[in-house]
Amino acid sequence: MRKILALLAVLTLASACGNGAASGKDNAGAKTIRIAYQAFPSGDLVVKNQGLLEKALPDYKITWTKFDSGASINTAFVAGSVDIAAIGSSPVARGLSAPLNIPYQVAFVLDVAGDNEALVARNGTGITDVAGLRGKKVATPFASTSHYSLLAALDRAGVKESEVDIVDLEPQDILAAWTRGDLDAAYSWLPSLDELKKNGTVLISSRELATAGKPTLDLGVVSTAFIQAHPEAVDAWRKAEAQALDLIASDPAAASKSIGAELNLSATDAQNQLKQGVFLKPADLASPEWLGTEGQVGKLADNLVSAAQFLKDQQKIDAVPDLATVQKSVYVKGLPDVLG
């Protein structure tokens, strides 16, 4: 609740002060794109490392800012300081719901969470299954896909959230606490997940939870104001992300080299991490299962409503948006042709 109140305070401040960022121009009038990225293996890092968007839009000043979680990205959107972002489906469901009601739209599916997000119990704790977390300290970044998956895993195992000491830590802070022996378990994502597994045992992964009806995804979202002001730039960004997905499918070694450079990993380690995610082909994004088309928005909207309903049931948000509202927040203009 304190995070929600803080976000509302930022929103009020941004509304009161006004913000010219939505125009996509800096104070000198130059066209700008402010991108929020996260340090996990994805095509988004390929786009950044290879400068694909800069090559496609030489007239724009493009800045990339690293964020540690979707919660902080939502805060940045509320403040009007981000135009495009890589963010998990659970924080997007929060962002589209009351009290945040962030005016952004889902325009890309970066990946579907598989074994690249998981719940790990530290060796020596005696925890062998999710039910064993009762009375234990478990860390995860709040308002993230991992947080959502942790709650789903507990619910599936019949464990009440109140029976577990859940603490809010970003991935790097989880590693530090893990090393000190302060945690019994953690739900996190790559690349930090690989470090946790060196001294821990996977209890459940997001791939298993997806099979059980609680899928999570990493999405590309764009502020509605930026879409309205710069639709051609949004198209160029979607094409660049599609190009990265093609590279992951056709030449994973080359994609891994770029991703490794961004994550300070060897290409081999990056490729091993890349294999743990599920990456769609660009043509799949316009299918009924995902984004859909202008004629029919895909089931991604249903997924977000379902995630919002789960969060409402867990008392994490105030209200669930209706399907029609969420469908309007899925940007399908030009699909599938724009991904060619």
Side-chain angles (χ1 to χ4, degrees):
M1 181 58 70
R2 281 180 293 180
K3 284 194 173 186
I4 290 176
L5 291 175
L7 283 170
L8 286 174
V10 174
L11 178 58
T12 302
L13 179 62
S15 299
C17 298
N19 194 312
S23 66
K25 293 184 178 181
D26 61 18
N27 293 332
K31 292 187 292 186
T32 63
I33 305 177
R34 299 159 306 168
I35 302 177
Y37 76 98
Q38 296 193 61
F40 56 77
S42 72
D44 199 43
L45 294 186
V46 174
V47 173
K48 178 180 183 295
N49 181 260
Q50 298 190 5
L52 300 182
L53 192 56
E54 286 81 357
K55 294 172 185 175
L57 296 171
D59 294 336
Y60 281 78
K61 177 185 177 183
I62 301 170
T63 58
W64 294 77
T65 303
K66 180 177 173 291
F67 286 77
D68 291 326
S69 68
S72 56
I73 289 175
N74 273 342
T75 302
F77 270 112
V78 168
S81 59
V82 169
D83 302 309
I84 298 175
I87 182 172
S89 54
S90 179
V92 169
R94 283 176 180 259
L96 295 176
S97 303
L100 297 182
N101 299 312
I102 299 173
Y104 55 32
Q105 298 181 42
V106 179
F108 209 84
V109 178
L110 298 173
D111 66 78
V112 181
D115 298 320
N116 51 349
E117 287 194 13
L119 174 61
V120 182
R122 192 164 54 84
N123 291 342
T125 59
I127 302 170
T128 57
D129 55 22
V130 177
L133 295 176
R134 287 186 176 90
K136 302 297 185 179
K137 180 179 285 189
V138 184
T140 194
F142 280 12
S144 67
T145 50
S146 286
H147 188 198
Y148 171 87
S149 295
L150 173 60
L151 296 177
L154 294 175
D155 183 66
R156 183 169 178 247
V159 179
K160 295 180 180 179
E161 181 183 358
S162 60
E163 294 180 292
V164 182
D165 181 11
I166 303 177
V167 294
D168 179 14
L169 293 176
E170 300 293 356
Q172 289 304 313
D173 296 324
I174 287 175
L175 282 180
W178 188 272
T179 302
R180 293 193 303 267
D182 295 344
L183 302 174
D184 298 305
Y187 208 126
S188 191
W189 55 79
L190 292 172
S192 62
L193 176 61
D194 269 359
E195 294 301 314
L196 300 180
K197 289 192 291 187
K198 290 178 181 179
N199 186 34
T201 302
V202 174
L203 302 180
I204 194 169
S205 73
S206 294
R207 186 188 300 274
E208 185 177 342
L209 287 168
T211 304
K214 289 290 186 290
T216 52
L217 312 95
D218 289 314
L219 304 172
V221 300
V222 186
S223 78
T224 300
F226 188 84
I227 289 174
Q228 293 170 345
H230 300 273
E232 77 294 336
V234 178
D235 286 351
W237 168 74
R238 290 190 291 180
K239 287 179 183 291
E241 293 288 352
Q243 185 178 342
L245 284 183
D246 278 334
L247 187 66
I248 289 173
S250 64
D251 193 349
S256 298
K257 183 177 180 181
S258 291
I259 292 170
E262 292 296 324
L263 297 178
N264 197 27
L265 297 172
S266 69
T268 299
D269 287 344
Q271 189 163 355
N272 288 336
Q273 293 192 5
L274 201 59
K275 291 176 181 177
Q276 298 179 56
V278 179
F279 298 92
L280 305 177
K281 295 179 180 178
D284 295 336
L285 270 65
S287 72
E289 187 69 23
W290 302 109
L291 295 175
T293 64
E294 291 184 72
Q296 182 178 3
V297 175
K299 292 181 181 178
L300 175 61
D302 301 77
N303 175 287
L304 291 171
V305 171
S306 177
Q309 182 61 59
F310 180 80
L311 292 171
K312 174 66 167 59
D313 293 342
Q314 297 286 330
Q315 300 181 332
K316 301 302 179 185
I317 59 175
D318 293 349
V320 179
D322 59 58
L323 180 59
T325 298
V326 176
Q327 287 176 331
K328 291 177 182 177
S329 297
V330 179
Y331 187 62
V332 291
K333 185 175 179 61
L335 294 182
D337 295 342
V338 74
L339 299 178

